[in-house]
Amino acid sequence: MEARVVAEADQDLEAREITLKGMPVSYGVRRSDRARRSRIDVDLRGVRVVVPSGSRVNPERLLAEHADWVLEKQAAYEAERQRVPERRFEPGATFPYRGEPHEVVVERRSASAVEDGTLRLARHHVVETSIERALECLFRRRARDAFTAVAESYASRMAVSYDRIEVRNQRTRWGSCSSNGTLSLNWRLVLGPPDVLEYVVVHELAHLQESNHSAAFWSIVEEWLPDYEERRAWLREHRVELVFTEEDL
């Protein structure tokens, strides 16, 4: 049995409830053809038990056996969930951009842009879609520009070459690097401080030299970002501040 904190698609979840050490716990059960072992997943979305298809593992017994771990993780994530910002998709609302609050303005203009501490959305785009969609498109565009600038700046100095950048919105990852050199980066990083975004890009570029997280890998990251531990810690402590909508949980 593998107990770990990770998120997966909540497809075909069967909702259940159990009492662990006197505490009611809602959880979901999912049968998976890909799972090799049963496991318990705990994250901001709750508790889930993933069981290989055809397995006779009893989810309740599994949870009971790991009750202390489940309750500890659930309490930690519940406290973190309380810090998830409440987003309002309307003119006058504020959203973080590059670590600073920016006001949303909807006006007649050819294209949305970030100007003078404001997120200026093109009215025609908002009418055709929504403020939420127009904001996301603006953030994605600015994120790609930021990712590209950092990657181009560091790749040559680190003597590595990447294939392309994909802007994504992973729930549980800020970035990844494929074996063919594709950098997949989470656009929500543009909501946070620039040095944190820089850390994630350099982190993934370092994987082009060391594919794992060995001591050699961290030595590469430290060579280029001596304060990487502080940037990494910020991302761990403030990740909920980069939530755009509840779908990101």
Side-chain angles (χ1 to χ4, degrees), residues 7-180:
E8 285 194 6
D10 287 337
Q11 55 185 0
D12 304 323
L13 267 185
E14 178 185 343
R16 299 185 185 182
E17 188 169 300
I18 188 175
T19 299
L20 298 177
K21 297 197 169 184
M23 296 289 294
V25 175
S26 297
Y27 68 100
V29 176
R30 183 167 66 84
R31 300 284 173 176
S32 172
D33 293 330
R34 293 186 301 173
R36 296 183 178 181
R37 293 181 291 178
S38 299
R39 69 172 187 268
I40 302 170
D41 292 350
V42 185
D43 58 26
L44 285 169
R45 290 174 293 154
V47 179
R48 294 175 303 286
V49 178
V50 181
V51 180
S53 298
S55 172
R56 296 184 178 181
V57 170
N58 185 320
E60 290 193 2
R61 180 176 299 174
L62 200 61
L63 288 168
E65 291 174 353
H66 298 272
D68 289 335
W69 183 87
V70 172
L71 292 173
E72 177 186 351
K73 294 300 180 184
Q74 184 185 48
Y77 278 110
E78 280 298 321
E80 190 171 3
R81 176 179 276 278
Q82 298 302 313
R83 296 169 45 226
V84 173
E86 182 179 349
R87 302 301 191 195
R88 294 185 300 109
F89 294 95
E90 58 188 40
T94 59
F95 284 79
Y97 172 74
R98 306 294 271 171
E100 298 294 336
H102 285 59
E103 182 181 355
V104 174
V105 174
V106 180
E107 61 186 10
R108 187 185 299 275
R109 59 186 299 125
S110 60
S112 299
V114 182
E115 297 177 355
D116 302 323
T118 57
L119 303 166
R120 312 191 79 84
L121 305 181
R123 187 182 303 279
H124 70 273
H125 194 184
V126 171
V127 172
E128 292 169 0
T129 58
S130 65
I131 288 180
E132 179 181 336
R133 178 57 179 162
L135 265 178
E136 181 177 335
C137 288
L138 174 59
F139 284 143
R140 281 179 176 269
R141 178 158 48 86
R142 296 304 293 263
R144 179 176 290 280
D145 292 342
F147 294 148
T148 300
V150 174
E152 290 182 352
S153 173
Y154 278 92
S156 58
R157 288 184 285 159
M158 295 173 69
V160 297
S161 177
Y162 64 93
D163 181 48
R164 66 182 185 278
I165 291 175
E166 290 187 352
V167 179
R168 304 181 64 184
N169 188 27
Q170 307 99 315
R171 281 178 170 172
T172 59
R173 287 186 177 185
W174 296 112
S176 62
C177 179
S178 68
S179 58
N180 63 6

